[in-house]
Amino acid sequence: MKKFCPLILLLLLAGSAGAQSIRFEKAVEYNDFIVRQQTKVGEAIKEFITVFTDTNDSTKIQESRNQIAIEADSAVARVKRLVSFQGDTAFKQSSIRLYRFYASIARVEYDQIVRVSYNKSKKAEDIQKEIGAIVQDITEREKKVDADFVQAQKAFAAKHQFTLTSDTGQSNQ
């Protein structure tokens, strides 16, 4: 029993390490951490689009779609562990809303797109119209969430006196 106690303690400590807070001393590092999460989700979305376009294997497409939700959920979890920089929560909260939006559309709308595209009872023209309507809906809803994120990020950068590059949102030190 004595041999197991240190092992159990070590396992408990290792398990709790993943739930520890993440803290940055510099605003730039805090910004870049949040943007890296967005980039990871964006890469998962790009991969889904590639798989959706390049294969007819609906199982691979659904697996790729699920990866978006997994990555977005992971981004939410990582950002939630992030200690707000000098009490500033707006940027952190807007990023959580954005990543939750990505997870939601991966689970619901992207699933609808896959199902519609594999529906053999519909004409190609009807499938394209239905997919177009779903994509339009996503685009309209994303505008608000993304604009809130960008505004919060710009306000954060201005408050902490650093500049953002226009193409990535990452800091320009």
Side-chain angles (χ1 to χ4, degrees), residues 115-166:
R115 291 178 190 281
V116 166
S117 69
Y118 280 88
N119 187 335
K120 303 288 186 200
S121 68
K122 293 185 178 188
K123 295 179 186 176
E125 183 179 302
D126 294 335
I127 289 172
Q128 289 301 322
K129 284 181 184 178
E130 196 168 337
I131 290 173
I134 294 168
V135 170
Q136 181 63 35
D137 178 62
I138 291 169
T139 302
E140 289 303 312
R141 291 184 350 221
E142 184 180 21
K143 284 180 185 176
K144 168 84 171 98
V145 181
D146 191 53
D148 290 348
F149 174 83
V150 169
Q151 185 59 38
Q153 183 186 32
K154 286 180 179 178
F156 181 82
K159 179 178 179 181
H160 298 287
Q161 301 176 341
F162 65 91
T163 57
L164 301 170
T165 60
S166 61

Side-chain angles (χ1 to χ4, degrees), residues 42-107:
E43 288 169 357
I45 292 170
K46 285 179 188 175
E47 179 63 20
F48 167 73
I49 292 168
T50 299
V51 171
F52 184 80
T53 304
D54 293 348
T55 186
N56 290 326
D57 186 339
S58 63
T59 301
K60 286 183 180 178
I61 293 169
Q62 289 291 20
E63 288 171 358
S64 182
R65 179 189 61 78
N66 285 329
Q67 278 304 121
I68 299 168
I70 290 167
E71 189 58 55
D73 288 340
S74 294
V76 168
R78 287 187 292 267
V79 172
K80 279 184 168 185
R81 291 183 13 230
L82 188 59
V83 175
S84 297
F85 192 82
Q86 297 179 354
D88 189 327
T89 61
F91 182 34
K92 175 181 174 178
Q93 293 306 316
S94 69
S95 70
I96 290 171
R97 284 189 296 276
L98 181 63
Y99 309 149
R100 282 183 176 155
F101 173 79
Y102 291 145
S104 174
I105 62 169
R107 286 188 177 94

Side-chain angles (χ1 to χ4, degrees), residues 9-41:
L9 181 60
L10 181 63
L11 290 173
L12 288 173
L13 289 174
S16 67
Q20 290 182 353
S21 297
I22 301 169
R23 181 182 309 269
F24 291 100
E25 297 299 319
K26 296 179 182 177
V28 168
E29 295 169 344
Y30 182 90
N31 173 79
D32 292 354
F33 176 84
I34 290 174
V35 171
R36 275 193 303 277
Q37 307 318 304
Q38 182 183 24
T39 300
K40 290 176 184 179
V41 176

